[in-house]
Amino acid sequence: MTKASEIRKTHIDDRMDQLQAWMESNHHMKNEESNQEVWDLLLKITRAWNLMDDEDKDYVECAKNAVLERHNWNL
């Protein structure tokens, strides 16, 4: 793995960790601003879709649905 790809992987992992923390705390349900923060993070994460494994892709898709439909996170 090249240094650049290691940096990208670390960056994706950091964003996924932030997403997980926000989803587990139902940050997207607090108010409109919080919902937008999570949505913006999801958009940033999906820019690296081709570098993500299937498990992360599934998690992102579930998170998108919860944010869009304003559902509590129960995974």
Side-chain angles (χ1 to χ4, degrees):
M1 186 179 279
T2 67
K3 185 68 173 173
S5 61
E6 286 178 32
I7 291 170
R8 280 192 297 273
K9 176 71 172 132
T10 300
H11 193 64
I12 293 166
D13 289 346
D14 289 346
R15 285 184 172 170
M16 288 299 295
D17 290 345
Q18 179 64 58
L19 177 62
Q20 183 177 5
W22 274 351
M23 294 309 294
E24 289 177 359
S25 69
N26 281 299
H27 184 70
H28 65 290
M29 298 293 288
K30 291 180 181 171
N31 56 44
E32 191 63 36
E33 183 178 322
S34 297
N35 185 276
Q36 188 64 50
E37 285 176 332
V38 178
W39 184 252
D40 290 344
L41 179 60
L42 283 163
L43 292 177
K44 289 176 187 174
I45 289 170
T46 58
R47 291 181 193 153
W49 193 258
N50 61 325
L51 303 173
M52 295 167 57
D53 61 30
D54 289 340
E55 185 178 343
D56 284 345
K57 288 177 180 179
D58 288 344
Y59 191 92
V60 168
E61 286 300 316
C62 290
K64 277 184 183 179
N65 289 336
V67 170
L68 287 172
E69 297 175 15
R70 308 288 168 101
H71 291 178
N72 281 319
W73 187 252
N74 296 321
L75 285 185

